[in-house]
């Protein structure tokens, strides 16, 4: 941190802006600092860290000469630590003699970290490394136009009548054009990344038209894997809410958003363990504890959401649609048993595409209604139609 110095966030004569990132926190080595929530701006010669409100109030920012940076690397998080933000490590050379005043007089660390709270864009890393490799400060040293101004003093530009007003409008237009050009650079990167998803959707649509919906099981699994890898961009976290009840309520709503469509695809019921795996897959690094998952599931019915938690007599916990009808499930299960003559939980799970645990609960529920009977032998558990009930109905 002792390589930083105070400077105005204005470009010099031979300096130009490269890239920027917002919501950045600075670390002095591995130690946290109070410099957080600012904007990191890369120019051809310097790295600026601009605190909120600096530009509006005409104050100075923190400036680091790029010549100090030996190399940069992305910090690799520990396998046991789930950090919320990615970090960029800047390894620095010793400070020069006669350096200007900065936020820290002396630091024992030879590196700093930039913590990207809103995510680290690959375009930012690429432009940063490319700027360091060009080393423009060697071929074209910085030419300071206002070197006589002391820190924290706003340079006053002369304004004389209509000419001064027109000059100010032209400067604002130029700054707006620069910002727009940077924005379109980021947009072009995003469009390049979106091409892969567009091509994927076109291929799937083409296959559906060619095969008239007869897509293989392997292709279906691959497509679902692509969808699962998308995840959610803003998962609910405990730190974002002041009270436990608000956190649990919003977490329950997030569970509904993630699991509603998969529940419909699976016939209206899913084991709590399978739901837990799906939710954590969608949340990425913001993993959810089993306790929070269970507490949020218990609130689903209270919030009148379209899914709810159900506990069978065996102790098995599942999530099911609020519109789920046990009578319809019993009817479908009875029909499956009649069609096959007899059926085991494993065979029913394979036929319906559900877990063996849920298949067993379906058969047990149907058995309690009296529509089927069980036979336990050395060959395992099988269920048969209740012929006594059928003959009585005849």
């Amino acid at each position: 941190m002792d390589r930083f110095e105070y400077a105005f966030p204005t470009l010099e004569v031979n300096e130009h802006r490269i890239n920027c990132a917002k919501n950045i926190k600075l670390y002095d080595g591995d130690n946290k600092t109070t410099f957080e929530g600012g904007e990191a701006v890369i120019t051809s010669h310097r790295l600026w860290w601009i605190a909120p409100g600096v530009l509006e109030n005409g104050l100075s920012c923190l400036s680091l000469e790029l010549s100090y940076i030996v190399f940069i690397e992305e910090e690799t998080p520990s396998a046991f630590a789930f950090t919320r933000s990615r970090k960029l490590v800047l390894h620095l050379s010793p400070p020069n003699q006669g350096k200007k005043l900065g936020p820290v007089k002396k630091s024992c660390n030879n590196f700093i970290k930039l913590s990207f709270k809103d995510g680290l864009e690959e375009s930012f890393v690429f432009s940063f490394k490319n700027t360091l490799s060009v080393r423009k400060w060697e071929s074209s040293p910085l030419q300071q136009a206002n070197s006589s101004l002391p820190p924290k003093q706003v340079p006053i530009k002369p304004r004389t009548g209509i000419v001064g007003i027109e000059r100010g409008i032209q400067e604002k237009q130029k700054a707006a054009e620069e910002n727009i050009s940077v924005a379109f650079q980021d947009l072009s990167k995003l469009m390049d990344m979106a091409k892969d998803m567009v091509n994927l959707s076109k291929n799937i649509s083409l296959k559906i038209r060619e095969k008239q919906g007869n897509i293989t099981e392997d292709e279906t699994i691959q497509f679902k894997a692509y969808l699962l890898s998308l995840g959610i961009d803003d998962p609910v976290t405990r730190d974002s809410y002041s009270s436990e009840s608000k956190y649990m309520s919003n977490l329950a709503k997030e569970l509904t958003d993630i699991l509603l469509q998969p529940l419909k695809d699976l016939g209206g019921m899913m084991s709590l363990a399978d739901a837990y795996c799906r939710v954590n897959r969608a949340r990425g690094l913001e993993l959810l504890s089993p306790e929070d998952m269970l507490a949020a599931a218990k609130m689903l019915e209270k919030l009148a959401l379209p899914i709810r938690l159900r506990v069978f007599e065996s102790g098995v916990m599942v999530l099911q649609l609020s519109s789920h009808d046990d009578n319809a499930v019993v009817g479908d299960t009875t029909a499956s048993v009649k069609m096959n003559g007899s059926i085991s939980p494993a065979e029913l799970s394979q036929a319906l595409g559900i877990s063996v645990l849920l298949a067993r609960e379906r058969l047990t529920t149907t058995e309690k209604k009296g529509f089927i009977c069980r036979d336990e032998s050395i060959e395992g558990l099988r269920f048969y139609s209740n012929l006594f009930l059928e003959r009585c109905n005849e």
Side-chain angles (χ1 to χ4, degrees):
M1 286 296 294
D2 57 354
R3 280 73 161 180
F4 276 103
E5 59 186 38
Y6 292 119
F8 292 115
T10 54
L11 296 173
E12 301 297 345
V13 177
N14 56 337
E15 185 180 20
H16 60 275
R17 181 183 175 122
I18 305 295
N19 207 335
C20 66
K22 295 184 178 181
N23 200 7
I24 307 299
K25 182 174 183 178
L26 297 181
Y27 283 71
D28 185 7
D30 292 320
N31 303 320
K32 295 181 179 180
T33 68
T34 57
F35 302 103
E36 57 182 70
E39 180 180 8
V41 178
I42 305 172
T43 74
S44 56
H45 294 72
R46 295 177 290 180
L47 170 66
W48 293 336
W49 184 87
I50 306 173
V54 163
L55 296 177
E56 294 81 356
N57 299 318
L59 302 176
S60 60
C61 69
L62 302 186
S63 175
L64 176 68
E65 300 287 341
L66 295 186
S67 57
Y68 280 120
I69 301 177
V70 180
F71 69 95
I72 63 174
E73 60 178 345
E74 186 176 351
E75 184 179 64
T76 303
S78 170
F80 302 99
F82 301 100
T83 56
R84 294 187 57 190
S85 58
R86 297 168 63 183
K87 296 181 177 64
L88 205 60
V89 183
L90 279 59
H91 296 269
L92 308 175
S93 60
N96 298 328
Q97 294 292 333
K99 185 185 73 68
K100 295 180 181 179
L101 183 64
V104 176
K105 292 183 178 180
K106 182 66 177 177
S107 175
C108 58
N109 297 306
N110 290 325
F111 67 94
I112 60 172
K113 294 181 183 179
L114 306 181
S115 177
F116 295 77
K117 298 295 183 180
D118 293 341
L120 176 57
E121 298 290 340
E122 296 300 329
S123 60
F124 184 87
V125 180
F126 175 79
S127 58
F128 203 166
K129 291 182 178 180
N130 185 59
T131 304
L132 292 176
S133 62
V134 173
R135 305 180 70 84
K136 187 177 179 181
W137 59 87
E138 294 182 352
S139 59
S140 179
L142 205 61
Q143 298 178 7
Q144 297 181 356
N146 296 317
S147 58
S148 61
L149 290 174
K152 296 187 180 183
Q153 179 179 342
V154 183
I156 301 174
K157 299 179 181 180
R159 305 285 186 187
T160 56
I162 297 176
V163 177
I165 295 174
E166 290 178 347
R167 187 184 298 116
I169 294 175
Q170 291 175 357
E171 290 176 354
K172 289 182 180 179
Q173 289 177 346
K174 183 179 179 181
E177 290 175 356
E178 292 178 355
N179 292 333
I180 291 173
S181 63
V182 173
F184 273 105
Q185 289 176 4
D186 295 339
L187 183 60
S188 62
K189 302 276 185 187
L190 180 61
M191 294 300 295
D192 292 338
M193 295 173 64
K195 288 180 181 178
D196 295 336
M197 293 304 299
V198 173
N199 292 332
L200 174 63
S201 64
K202 287 181 179 179
N203 292 335
I204 292 173
S205 300
L206 183 62
K207 288 182 179 179
I208 291 175
R209 287 195 296 268
E210 290 176 352
K211 301 182 180 181
Q212 296 181 350
N214 187 22
I215 300 180
T216 64
E217 184 178 356
D218 291 338
E219 290 170 337
T220 304
I221 293 174
Q222 183 181 10
F223 182 49
K224 288 184 177 180
Y226 285 140
L227 293 179
L228 284 172
S229 65
L230 295 178
I232 50 179
D233 56 356
D234 189 20
V236 175
T237 58
R238 192 183 299 272
D239 298 338
S240 304
Y241 299 92
S242 57
S243 65
E244 185 74 9
S245 61
K246 289 183 180 179
Y247 166 62
M248 286 301 170
S249 298
N250 284 275
L251 184 58
K253 294 176 183 178
E254 182 181 271
L255 296 185
T256 303
D257 295 337
I258 298 173
L259 299 174
L260 183 58
Q261 188 58 45
L263 278 171
K264 292 179 180 179
D265 297 338
L266 294 173
M269 186 179 295
M270 180 190 303
S271 69
L272 192 60
D274 291 341
Y276 178 72
C277 294
R278 284 178 176 267
V279 169
N280 272 336
R281 175 68 183 273
R283 287 172 63 91
L285 291 178
E286 294 291 347
L287 297 181
L288 193 65
S289 68
E291 293 80 7
D292 286 352
M293 176 75 178
L294 180 58
K298 291 179 179 179
M299 295 190 66
L300 292 170
E301 191 169 5
K302 297 179 181 178
L303 297 173
L305 295 171
I307 64 176
R308 65 183 181 89
L309 176 69
R310 177 177 179 179
V311 183
F312 289 100
E313 292 182 2
S314 62
V316 175
M317 290 185 287
V318 299
L319 291 179
Q320 69 178 33
L321 296 174
S322 299
S323 58
H324 185 78
D325 187 5
D326 276 353
N327 293 327
V329 173
V330 169
D332 293 340
T333 307
T334 304
S336 298
V337 174
K338 287 182 179 180
M339 185 183 301
N340 294 278
S342 67
I343 200 168
S344 67
E347 292 170 349
L348 182 62
S349 70
Q350 187 174 5
L352 299 179
I354 59 177
S355 66
V356 178
L357 188 65
L358 288 182
R360 186 185 181 96
E361 292 297 335
R362 277 175 174 257
L363 292 167
T364 303
T365 302
T366 307
E367 180 191 22
K368 290 178 181 178
K369 296 286 186 178
F371 292 98
I372 59 175
C373 302
R374 70 170 58 200
D375 177 35
E376 294 188 62
S377 64
I378 58 175
E379 295 180 356
L381 177 63
R382 297 191 70 83
F383 289 85
Y384 296 81
S385 296
N386 187 353
L387 299 180
F388 294 101
L389 181 62
E390 292 179 3
R391 291 175 181 176
C392 288
N393 291 334
E394 292 177 356

